[in-house]
Amino acid sequence: MANHKSALKRIRRNEAVRLRNRYQHKTTRNAIKKLRGEENKEDAVKMYPEVVSMIDRLAKRNIIHTNKAANLKSKLAKHVAAL
């Protein structure tokens, strides 16, 4: 167990940040799955910028790696274009 007041605070804060990161990552993954399952091109084109924005936000906050974000965006763009 932590001995310092600041260490206890850090433990609390790390847990809160971990839960927030987990929530954002899961929400983005669900949005990606929804976009991949979309059959209507108009809906997919409308949804694509929102999903890309979510992916960029995760990469900016180091929740996912920058290259992974680029790969996801590329695959989604190809999917939307092929509809």
Side-chain angles (χ1 to χ4, degrees), residues 10-25:
R10 190 72 187 163
I11 289 169
R12 288 195 309 269
R13 185 179 177 289
N14 283 345
E15 180 64 13
V17 169
R18 184 185 72 83
L19 292 175
R20 188 181 319 122
N21 288 344
R22 200 171 96 186
Y23 170 77
Q24 289 172 347
H25 196 184

Side-chain angles (χ1 to χ4, degrees), residues 28 47-59 73:
T28 304
M47 196 185 307
Y48 177 72
E50 297 167 8
V51 175
V52 166
S53 174
M54 295 169 82
I55 292 170
D56 285 337
R57 206 171 304 131
L58 290 181
K73 291 191 297 186

Side-chain angles (χ1 to χ4, degrees), residues 14-83:
N14 283 345
E15 180 64 13
V17 169
R18 184 185 72 83
L19 292 175
R20 188 181 319 122
N21 288 344
R22 200 171 96 186
Y23 170 77
Q24 289 172 347
H25 196 184
K26 185 64 175 176
T27 305
T28 304
R29 284 199 310 258
N30 287 338
I32 290 169
K33 283 180 192 170
K34 188 175 177 186
L35 180 58
R36 281 194 181 131
E38 191 63 54
E39 298 294 327
N40 187 1
K41 185 169 178 87
E42 292 83 29
D43 291 342
V45 168
K46 195 183 305 179
M47 196 185 307
Y48 177 72
E50 297 167 8
V51 175
V52 166
S53 174
M54 295 169 82
I55 292 170
D56 285 337
R57 206 171 304 131
L58 290 181
K60 183 177 85 172
R61 295 176 180 161
N62 290 323
I63 298 172
I64 62 173
H65 196 274
T66 310
N67 291 352
K68 180 183 174 81
N71 290 336
L72 285 171
K73 291 191 297 186
S74 172
K75 287 177 184 173
L76 290 174
K78 285 171 76 173
H79 172 73
V80 170
L83 287 176

Side-chain angles (χ1 to χ4, degrees), residues 1-12:
M1 193 62 200
N3 291 322
H4 296 280
K5 198 172 184 180
S6 61
L8 292 170
K9 182 178 178 182
R10 190 72 187 163
I11 289 169
R12 288 195 309 269

